[in-house]
Structures are given as structure tokens and as C-alpha cells.
Amino acid sequence: MSASFTPTPTPTHTHTNKPHSRWSDKQSKVLGDLAEEFSVSTSQLERLTTAFIDQMQAGLAGDQKSTDLAMIPTFVSGRPDGHERGSYLALDLGGTNLRVCLIALKGNNDFESHSKAFKVSDHLQEAHISELMDFIAISIRDFITSEHISSKIVEHPSGSETLELGFTFSFPVTQTAIDAGMLLRWTKGFSCPGAVGNDIVQLLQEALNRNEVNVHVAALVNDTVGTLLAHSYKHPNTFIGAIFGTGTNGAYVEDTRGIKTMTTPTTEEMIINIEWGNYDKDKRFLPVTIFDNKLDRESINPGVHVFEKMISGMYLGEITRNILLHLIDQRLLFDGTSSAKLNQHWSFETKYMSQIESDTSVTLIPIAQILEQDLGIYLNTQVDREIVKFVCQLVGKRAARLSAMATAAVIRRGLSVEGRLAGHGYPLKLSQGDHAIGSNVNKNGTNVHESTDSVVNQGLQPIHVGIDGSVFEHYPHFEERMVEGLTELLGPRTKDIVVLGIARDGSGVGAALAALIATKNVVYSR
Ligand code: BGC
């Protein structure tokens, strides 16, 4: 099974979760109940945020029994400020495409990138790891030859003939150095034997040597870390890098005094890969429904990454499909008739949700086209189409609100006494027992926050969050729904202080920056 997600961009418009007046009583009742189940209230978000922060702290303290968050120190200490220069190879593996890039960092917050994508077939996603690594090595060789890379190198790091490469590997890896890390588990449909428990850098370096490709793997980074570094290159002091795409995850800057798993840190800060897709895998806090449970049970990694399965592009379509079938079976949709296509696992892609949510026409004919052409549902009424759209809105909105929760939790951790943003005087300030900034403000009707202008006047940087991933970039209303959730959790001035920005090509540029950090800096190790 594999799924990538590239939905169509869409205009914004207002939307409603209220059942429609033309629906039958039974339709209104069942859809009203579904709306209830899929809505995540501010107080639920609050509870989830508090538990998330507790789990972050447990992970940082090395108490893996009390947390599902791996909180992996990445050995990337320090963030770029846009002055860095040099050319590096970058590799990006995390889904159905492998991308090989040459990144030229120009030193003025700008860069140039050439890249080539190679399809990772379904077979390779399950093949032995040595086969996957050989494929990667050969793809790198193909890129170097076809792009005449040697002639494009503008400034060769350390004058060596060997090309330095940064590897963005978007799976959970525990790192022991910036260029060493062991795969914890596969996610997003990959299951290659021979990789879990082994060092990914070593596996790739061996494949490069085996295939006589003169490239040195200098750094290994998660895509969230790459995104954070790449966004810092444009916006120094970026605090979070997050992915909302086929999968989801976040990385942020931690004060090393807060990382109890590291002894005698020599740097003040370090980027932590949270691996938040695995948050609350035992479902103690998350509002999981029978539709989520069904998806999880039938996935190739049941019982893990439950949070990711409620949020990311690989899974949203399948949750929606489960709900549609549930409605069909009660004769509340399509007059009780499904199609062979809709009955198939994973057949309802998240990109259809994106297209469906962007249809603002009255008759919803574009939705009819998807139902007919892509899903073989030829008999569908306008009410059917309204119901399909309504279901997509429930699933899409919940995903955005849960994404906001994780982001808000990381910002609160940053503002806490041990966190990296503490003492910087941000107006979004937590004091003990005062977790609920947003709800306190709402309840008391008082505004304890100041605007960005005053933040800037105080000499403070806004809190930048660099985000990559097709769900954030293209799913209708995702950003707006996320900002709504963030505001409920962090207060009414959040929009001015917390700046969400798209970090395009985070994986490529970030990997290049990591290679630069690794080859020019002393590498910090345990
Ligand atoms: C992986 C993370 C990755 C995220 C986004 C998750 O499935 O575990 O390492 O950052 O997907 O690509």
C-alpha cells in the first residue's frame, strides 16, 4: 500500500458543520451525531495540549515508559542565519518519491536548487533495505552524471573531491550523532526488512561505496528538522519545523538544560525531533472514533502513529471512506448502494476531499464528477453530494484542530521555565497553573496579550513556524482552521505573534544546511 497526496489548490470560503435543512430526520440525526463525534472542543484541545506537554517533558527526561513521544536529540545545535554559503547534495526520502538535489547556498538568505525525482515503487517500499539503498545510490549517480554536477559546484566544502551529502530521511530515527542514527520503526506504508535497529547512514554509505559513487553522507536529518533549518535560513530564529503532508511531525529548538537524556551538553540549544505522529498511541486522550479504530486496525502498523492517522494526507481519505460506507449501509447515502471502487481500501484519496471541499457551487456538480469518474458512483443526488462534502469537512476540520494543538503545545513548552523561549519576554507568557491562555482570556473577557507591533518594539522576533506538506499547503481551510485552534489555545493575538509560513523545499535545503553544519562545525556527541 502506498499513498501520496497532491491535492488541488482552492479558494477560501466560509463553511458550516450544521446539518442541512433538506436532509431527512434520520440523515440529520446520524450526521448530527457524527458532527458531535468529530468536533474537538476548546476544552478537549486544552486537555490534549496539557497531556502533550507532559509527554514532551517525560521524553526529554528519558522516561519512555510514560510517553509516546520519542523526543529525539538531533545533534543539530545552532540554526542558520542566512549567511551560509556552499554547494551540497541533498537527498529526500519519505514517501513515494526519492528526490536528489544539488543545493547552492548563496549566503544572502537565498539559494538555488536543481533536483530530480525518482519513483520509489511499491516493491521497493517492501524490499530488503539493501535493495532500497542500492536504488538510492544508483539514483544519486544518475543525477550526478545527468546534471553534470561537478561543473555546477560553486564552492566546494573543504576543497575535497568527494561530494558531501545531507540525507533527509523522514522516518523515526534515534540519533547518536549528526551523521549516525538507528531506525526505530517504519511508517507511511514502508516496511523494508533489515532496517529497523540499524544505522541508516551506514547502510547508505555502504551502498554508495558498493556502487562506486564518490559521495560522503555527512548528515542525517528528519524532514521536520530540515524544514526548521531551511526556514531559519530565510527567517533566523525559526522555532518550529512541522510537516503536515503524507505524514505529520514536528521539530523545535530546546534549551539543552531541559534535555535530561544528554550529559554535559556543550551547546545552549539543540533541535529535538518530537515524532508527534505517535502521540497518545494508547488513545487515552485522543477523541478516536470507530472509523479511526477501523483504519488503524487495518493499517500495516496498527497501534502506532494513531495521532498521525487522524491528521495526515495518507489517512484522511480512508477515514472519510469508512464514514461514507457506514452511511451507505444505513441507506442514508447513495440510496444504500456502494461501488466496487469505493469498497476498496484506500480508494478514496485525500486529494478528493480537497477537491470536494473546494466545490462551492450550489448544485455541487464537480463533486458528482469525482463520484462518477473516480469512484464509480453514478447515481448521486444533490443531497448525497452535500452529505459527502459535510463528511469531508468534519474529517478535515478535526485534522486541522489537532494539528493546531500539537503546534500550540510546542510553543507552550518553549515559553515554560526550561524552554528556549523562556525569559525572552514574549507576551504569550505562561505562569504556573495558567496553561489555558486562550480560554482564560475568553472566560474573563480580558486580553493579556500584546500585538506584534509591541513585540517588535520590544526587540523581540515573532515566533516563526516553518511548515511543509501538501495538506497544509493545499487542503482547503486547513491553515485558517489551524489558526482558529491556535488562537483558542494561545490567545487572541496569536495571529500576530505566531507566524506560520510555508517552508518550500525544506527537505532539500535543510539537508544541505545540515551537511554544512556537520562538515564545518565540531559535531556534538553523547
Ligand atoms: C515520520 C516522521 C516524519 C513525518 C512527516 C512520520 O510518519 O515518523 O519521521 O517526520 O512522517 O514526514
Side-chain angles (χ1 to χ4, degrees), residues 213-369:
V213 184
N214 194 15
V215 166
H216 171 241
V217 188
L220 178 71
V221 284
N222 186 262
D223 50 356
T224 53
V225 178
T227 299
L228 200 164
L229 293 175
H231 207 60
S232 284
Y233 196 67
K234 296 240 170 202
H235 306 278
N237 293 324
T238 295
F239 182 62
I240 300 180
I243 305 286
F244 300 107
T246 307
T248 184
N249 187 15
Y252 74 109
V253 183
E254 183 57 85
D255 197 310
T256 42
R257 285 169 306 178
I259 313 174
K260 310 290 185 233
T261 46
M262 300 198 77
T263 46
T264 57
T266 54
T267 53
E268 277 186 8
E269 63 176 44
M270 181 166 294
I271 298 176
I272 297 285
N273 169 13
I274 303 172
E275 283 297 335
W276 73 33
N278 201 40
Y279 169 57
D280 194 28
K281 73 171 174 12
D282 298 326
K283 308 169 190 171
R284 284 179 301 150
F285 307 100
L286 286 169
V288 284
T289 64
I290 52 169
F291 311 103
D292 300 296
N293 283 328
K294 184 169 185 311
L295 177 147
D296 180 33
R297 203 173 291 123
E298 293 167 352
S299 69
I300 69 164
N301 55 353
V304 294
H305 282 237
V306 170
F307 184 59
E308 174 167 78
K309 289 170 185 162
M310 298 171 88
I311 288 187
S312 69
M314 176 146 181
Y315 306 100
L316 295 182
E318 180 68 0
I319 302 173
T320 304
R321 191 186 73 92
N322 286 341
I323 302 174
L324 297 181
L325 290 177
H326 168 76
L327 295 171
I328 291 171
D329 289 347
Q330 297 175 78
R331 297 190 76 91
L332 297 174
L333 185 64
F334 309 140
D335 202 19
T337 311
S338 183
S339 68
K341 185 76 197 278
L342 190 63
N343 288 345
Q344 250 172 47
H345 272 143
W346 312 100
S347 61
F348 194 93
E349 296 177 33
T350 303
K351 76 170 181 209
Y352 302 149
M353 296 175 66
S354 177
Q355 289 158 357
I356 288 168
E357 278 220 49
S358 17
D359 182 2
T360 54
S361 68
V362 175
T363 51
L364 302 175
I365 297 300
I367 297 184
Q369 278 162 2

Side-chain angles (χ1 to χ4, degrees), residues 343-510:
N343 288 345
Q344 250 172 47
H345 272 143
W346 312 100
S347 61
F348 194 93
E349 296 177 33
T350 303
K351 76 170 181 209
Y352 302 149
M353 296 175 66
S354 177
Q355 289 158 357
I356 288 168
E357 278 220 49
S358 17
D359 182 2
T360 54
S361 68
V362 175
T363 51
L364 302 175
I365 297 300
I367 297 184
Q369 278 162 2
I370 298 171
L371 291 173
E372 287 163 27
Q373 287 163 18
D374 296 304
L375 296 160
I377 305 274
Y378 297 102
L379 291 179
N380 57 81
T381 63
Q382 190 173 324
V383 166
D384 286 332
R385 300 194 286 275
E386 282 166 11
I387 292 178
V388 171
K389 183 171 172 185
F390 181 80
V391 170
C392 293
Q393 286 172 339
L394 295 184
V395 177
K397 186 164 185 189
R398 186 186 67 168
R401 289 177 69 75
L402 291 176
S403 305
M405 181 282 297
T407 310
V410 180
I411 291 175
R412 283 199 190 164
R413 162 71 204 174
L415 294 166
S416 72
V417 184
E418 279 183 326
R420 196 66 190 136
L421 301 172
H424 286 247
Y426 284 99
L428 286 165
K429 199 160 177 186
L430 287 177
S431 57
Q432 235 178 357
D434 182 24
H435 285 299
I437 294 183
S439 41
N440 281 348
V441 168
N442 294 341
K443 265 187 265 156
N444 306 337
T446 48
N447 178 6
V448 294
H449 306 287
E450 297 166 47
S451 74
T452 309
D453 287 348
S454 55
V455 173
V456 173
N457 288 342
Q458 289 165 39
L460 292 169
Q461 295 278 343
I463 302 170
H464 284 285
V465 181
I467 304 181
D468 202 357
S470 46
V471 172
F472 181 81
E473 204 174 342
H474 300 306
Y475 193 102
H477 319 300
F478 195 85
E479 180 172 354
E480 146 202 337
R481 290 166 177 167
M482 226 183 125
V483 169
E484 202 175 278
L486 278 170
T487 308
E488 285 166 43
L489 290 165
L490 297 173
R493 296 286 168 86
T494 302
K495 248 202 285 202
D496 305 321
I497 298 160
V498 177
V499 185
L500 308 183
I502 293 184
R504 283 213 179 74
D505 200 17
S507 301
V509 181

